[in-house]
Amino acid sequence: MTQFTRRNLLGMIGTAAGSSAMYYAMASMGQAAASNYTGPVKLDGDPKGAKVLILGAGLAGMTAALEMRAAGYQVEVLEYREKAGGRCWTLRSGDEYTELGGAKQTVDFAEGNYINPGPWRLPHHHYAVMDYCKRLKVPLEPFVQTDYNAYVHRSDAFDGKPQRMGKIKTDYRGHISELLAKAVDQGKLDELVTEDDREMLIESLRSFGVLDDQNAYAKSLKTSGYRGYEKQPGGGEGAAPVASDLYDPSQVIQSQLWRSLGQHESLEHWAPMFQPVGGMDGIAKGFEREVGDLITYNAKVTSLQQDDNGVTVTWEDTAGGGTKTSTADYCVCTIPFSVLGQIDHNLSSGLSNVISSMFYNGSTKVGLEFKRRFWEEDEQIYGGISYTDQAISQISYPSTGYHSDGPAVLLGCYTWRGTDTFKFNAMQPAERIEWALRQGEKIHPQYREEFKAGVAVSWHKVPWVLGCSGVWEDRESQGYAEAIKIDNRVVCAGEHLSYIAGWQEGSILSSLDAITRLHDKVING
Amino acid sequence: MKTSFLTIAALTSFCAVAAHAQSADMSSFAEDTVFGSAGYTSTDGEVLYQTLCAGCHMPGGEGAVGAGHYPALSGNPNLEYSAYPITLIVNGQAGMPAFGTFLNDEQIVALTTYLQTGLGNSFEPDATLETVANSRPVEPEDTNKAEHE
């Protein structure tokens, strides 16, 4: 495809993506949440053949490559890995992965099964990611974040027996609603609640907490209709439902299982969430279809130098051997600061200070493949997440392939920062997998019997990023504004330069903002 | 000191294997891991190293190289005087997070002593509780709060 037709094509896509323009208009009317994604980026004006060198072929780098080529730049992309995507990454059957330290894992999953070691779900309000998925024809499917039939578990609650989330949620809400309704009814909150609001508040609590006419949360077929029955309503003979006993208020509060009820209520986890069909790297491949011809793989950048005339990058060809040099007029650098800080560069002191002071957090994910879908067959759990106070923190069941025979993969461990993450990081992959089994079998006794294969990724040991995402304690005092500035001919971009740390949306928005400012400088000086 | 540690490791390893028959692949350090909010409770320098630092600097202190690298600690001349490693352990540096928020002074002394005398190093151990206390920031940042889950 020639550059000219590609530009036309992208222009057409931009026109076709009228939904984004529609969205922006709606946002300004208050009908949709505002974002700084305002639809396909417009880089007007002729860069007159200027060349841009993009370091890193993750989502930030490939966004820059796609949009800047469309705007008329000569584009060259250097990527350390042998493939595109960066942390937008999927490990599937047959893949090999060698972590720092040399431990090599060959993914022994059944054909078609996979685990996403990095990002694994897309919020519907991550407009940039969603729009690129649409433009790049990356098919999406629902990601089941919330499954009220999955478990909440704490080792010291209910004798360590996992509880169905829906049951705990209903009892928790019922009991606190009863307390509040009684307090209001008895006039104990009169200083806070007006006469007018009192009746309506009580009525709302009856609805919210499934209370009876006396404002009590009590055993009944009505409450069972929310928390689950002792015996479900059926058909024909002996079909009458039987109400279930409630857990008592103190037991529910003291169990601390309510700690696990909030995640799916946070905006980032609002239903519906999505995932690319067949693995998160569907997004990487979507970008690669457009810009793969611009990328040089196996290129380990060792030096980034700029002066008034241009940018010079020295890199090692880790596949073919030898040291090479690339030059350009401008550079978009998406190399994580954990790595960039170790590369010889002559960036300004303000930017350098941020680069060399940003630490990266860790995260551990373990994918476990089992011989059958026992969570579906034995426990009626179809997607969603069980939460536990153990180090594995959660078990996420596959959102696809329901009722299929044969092996299936679940996410058997997901830690985020903290000492448990460091402990997993210090282990070998087989040890992490063993711990994921030890802790998971407390929730699913079928684990040992059904276990088939596992793969464990600890992000501090991922060779091409040395961590999971950049961490800001305080963007203002640590120099966020300085770090995103165009530094003469170089601008940095990536999730670490966004307010959406650790999400792909942050990578893309950072990149779009960086190239918009860079383009403005190229055109207008 | 080294011999006695190996004996202890062998013993704990034996007990642990007896308790978990399936786990032939486990090192004694992994086997004895205790997870949870208490964080790191050991005051043994080698245990702390092998269950925390070894994740990046590797079990023998050999470091690792990828797109960037983790420095080797074995034979690293920066370990000759404890003030330098203590400052890094307490406050972090570059991509390395700060560990001062969850390791106490005694643990950091034990860990630093291990860095100076273990991993093939034979520096004169000079870490003190006072050096650690002096390295701590006035207002420590919690490096483990979650910004994303």
Side-chain angles (χ1 to χ4, degrees):
Chain A
M1 186 180 284
T2 69
Q3 200 160 311
F4 182 73
T5 50
R6 183 181 294 273
R7 286 180 67 181
N8 277 356
L9 175 67
L10 289 165
M12 281 163 59
I13 291 172
T15 312
S19 56
S20 300
M22 174 70 89
Y23 144 73
Y24 192 56
M26 286 181 68
S28 65
M29 291 186 289
Q31 292 174 9
S35 152
N36 64 340
Y37 185 70
T38 55
V41 69
K42 289 184 183 63
L43 303 178
D44 295 330
D46 184 356
K48 296 181 179 131
K51 182 182 170 187
V52 61
L53 185 58
I54 295 168
L55 305 181
L59 296 199
M62 289 195 288
T63 297
L66 189 156
E67 302 295 357
M68 295 190 86
R69 172 156 73 180
Y73 289 85
Q74 290 182 64
V75 177
E76 177 182 359
V77 184
L78 297 176
E79 167 55 41
Y80 172 80
R81 298 180 71 200
E82 73 292 352
K83 62 177 166 183
R87 282 162 273 181
C88 172
W89 178 32
T90 298
L91 280 171
R92 47 175 67 78
S93 41
D95 285 352
E96 288 181 346
Y97 166 59
T98 303
E99 66 180 26
L100 287 177
K104 181 167 137 182
Q105 301 177 76
T106 302
V107 184
D108 191 23
F109 293 164
E111 185 66 32
N113 283 348
Y114 68 86
I115 188 83
N116 296 316
W120 53 307
R121 49 193 168 177
L122 311 176
H124 63 267
H125 52 82
H126 280 187
Y127 301 116
V129 171
M130 293 298 279
D131 198 30
Y132 275 101
C133 285
K134 185 173 179 182
R135 289 165 63 188
L136 299 170
K137 302 198 186 322
V138 178
L140 301 181
E141 63 191 357
F143 171 91
V144 180
Q145 165 73 32
T146 310
D147 180 344
Y148 287 137
N149 211 37
Y151 297 114
V152 286
H153 169 261
R154 288 178 68 88
S155 310
D156 59 0
F158 293 92
D159 298 323
K161 291 198 186 85
Q163 302 296 310
R164 302 286 186 175
M165 181 188 275
K167 191 172 282 189
I168 294 298
K169 177 193 71 105
T170 308
D171 284 359
Y172 174 67
R173 223 156 76 170
H175 289 310
I176 59 173
S177 296
E178 176 178 325
L179 281 176
L180 185 52
K182 283 180 173 163
V184 173
D185 195 41
Q186 291 165 15
K188 290 180 178 165
L189 296 179
D190 280 356
E191 284 179 25
L192 301 170
V193 182
T194 65
E195 183 73 30
D196 286 348
D197 290 345
R198 220 163 109 173
E199 277 312 305
M200 196 60 83
L201 176 56
I202 290 172
E203 198 178 323
S204 79
L205 288 167
R206 285 182 192 150
S207 162
F208 180 69
V210 199
L211 309 183
D212 64 17
D213 294 345
Q214 273 67 55
N215 299 333
Y217 179 64
K219 177 180 179 178
S220 68
L221 287 177
K222 188 178 167 196
T223 52
S224 290
Y226 286 78
R227 73 187 301 285
Y229 298 86
E230 178 68 27
K231 178 174 176 292
Q232 295 200 73
E237 195 177 356
V242 178
S244 61
D245 289 325
L246 311 178
Y247 291 135
D248 70 62
S250 166
Q251 192 178 20
V252 172
I253 297 296
Q254 291 297 337
S255 76
Q256 298 189 49
L257 291 175
W258 41 263
R259 290 185 188 279
S260 301
L261 300 177
Q263 195 193 46
H264 63 264
E265 311 246 322
S266 69
L267 180 60
E268 283 170 337
H269 304 93
W270 273 15
M273 298 194 80
F274 295 94
Q275 62 183 13
V277 175
M280 186 56 76
D281 68 356
I283 299 181
K285 289 172 180 170
F287 274 104
E288 199 180 12
R289 282 194 292 272
E290 292 294 326
V291 301
D293 58 316
L294 302 175
I295 304 172
T296 301
Y297 297 100
N298 303 299
K300 177 177 175 172
V301 172
T302 55
S303 169
L304 164 59
Q305 307 294 324
Q306 62 170 334
D307 58 28
D308 289 341
N309 301 314
V311 179
T312 303
V313 167
T314 310
W315 49 279
E316 287 170 24
D317 181 349
T318 58
T323 301
K324 296 183 178 164
T325 299
S326 294
T327 57
D329 300 302
Y330 301 95
C331 173
V332 177
C333 178
T334 72
I335 297 175
F337 283 1
S338 50
V339 174
L340 184 56
Q342 303 184 20
I343 289 171
D344 180 36
H345 65 71
N346 68 345
L347 297 169
S348 70
S349 62
L351 175 56
S352 297
N353 287 341
V354 183
I355 293 169
S356 63
S357 64
M358 176 178 282
F359 71 84
Y360 271 61
N361 70 286
S363 172
T364 313
K365 276 192 178 170
V366 179
L368 299 174
E369 184 176 64
F370 295 93
K371 294 172 206 157
R372 68 182 180 94
R373 295 176 176 245
F374 56 80
W375 51 92
E376 295 180 8
E377 294 171 4
D378 306 349
E379 297 164 275
Q380 296 76 50
I381 295 171
Y382 297 93
I385 299 172
S386 287
Y387 293 92
T388 172
D389 68 337
Q390 301 176 94
I392 56 171
S393 95
Q394 49 187 278
I395 297 174
S396 174
Y397 313 93
S399 291
T400 55
Y402 303 119
H403 284 169
S404 57
D405 292 326
V409 174
L410 52 70
L411 175 65
C413 171
Y414 179 25
T415 70
W416 189 259
R417 299 173 78 167
T419 52
D420 287 348
T421 297
F422 290 127
K423 288 172 185 175
F424 276 125
N425 186 54
M427 293 180 186
Q428 295 302 304
E431 295 168 337
R432 292 176 214 133
I433 291 166
E434 170 60 24
W435 272 109
L437 292 172
R438 282 181 189 179
Q439 297 182 354
E441 70 184 333
K442 303 235 166 79
I443 295 167
H444 296 288
Q446 306 97 319
Y447 254 46
R448 292 287 177 185
E449 174 91 21
E450 305 294 348
F451 177 66
K452 182 176 164 289
V455 61
V457 173
S458 177
W459 278 89
H460 275 304
K461 275 184 166 150
V462 174
W464 29 275
V465 56
L466 309 183
C468 192
S469 67
V471 175
W472 295 95
E473 295 302 335
D474 175 4
R475 285 175 178 75
E476 204 166 312
S477 69
Q478 284 175 270
Y480 179 90
E482 196 67 27
I484 63 170
K485 270 187 196 163
I486 297 170
D487 182 5
N488 193 11
R489 292 174 173 274
V490 179
V491 65
C492 291
E495 59 80 26
H496 51 297
L497 298 173
S498 77
Y499 280 76
I500 320 175
W503 290 94
Q504 296 173 118
E505 180 80 352
S507 313
I508 296 180
L509 291 179
S510 162
S511 181
L512 290 173
D513 172 67
I515 64 173
T516 301
R517 286 183 287 114
L518 181 62
H519 180 68
D520 181 65
K521 177 172 174 163
V522 172
I523 299 299
N524 301 315
Chain B
M1 181 181 158
K2 196 137 200 171
T3 317
S4 72
F5 173 77
L6 285 174
T7 313
I8 294 163
L11 279 172
T12 45
S13 169
F14 174 77
C15 298
V17 168
H20 298 279
Q22 297 97 332
S23 52
D25 299 348
M26 284 263 188
S27 72
S28 62
F29 298 108
E31 184 63 62
D32 296 340
T33 297
V34 177
F35 292 101
S37 56
Y40 285 87
T41 54
S42 175
T43 52
D44 181 308
E46 181 166 15
V47 170
L48 288 167
Y49 179 84
Q50 295 297 344
T51 58
L52 173 59
C53 320
C56 294
H57 296 284
M58 301 300 148
E62 63 271 34
V65 180
H69 76 284
Y70 290 127
L73 300 181
S74 179
N76 188 326
N78 289 332
L79 296 171
E80 182 172 2
Y81 301 106
S82 64
Y84 181 76
I86 285 173
T87 302
L88 262 63
I89 293 166
V90 169
N91 301 296
Q93 190 195 55
M96 173 175 156
F99 301 145
T101 47
F102 60 81
L103 294 181
N104 64 32
D105 294 0
E106 186 191 2
Q107 288 173 311
I108 293 173
V109 168
L111 176 54
T112 307
T113 301
Y114 178 73
L115 297 179
Q116 293 185 305
T117 60
L119 304 173
N121 294 329
S122 48
F123 299 111
E124 190 66 36
D126 66 340
T128 64
L129 295 172
E130 196 185 3
T131 317
V132 179
N134 290 338
S135 299
R136 289 190 182 275
V138 182
E139 291 177 45
E141 284 165 345
D142 182 0
T143 57
N144 289 292
K145 69 181 182 194
E147 192 178 38
H148 162 107
E149 275 179 272

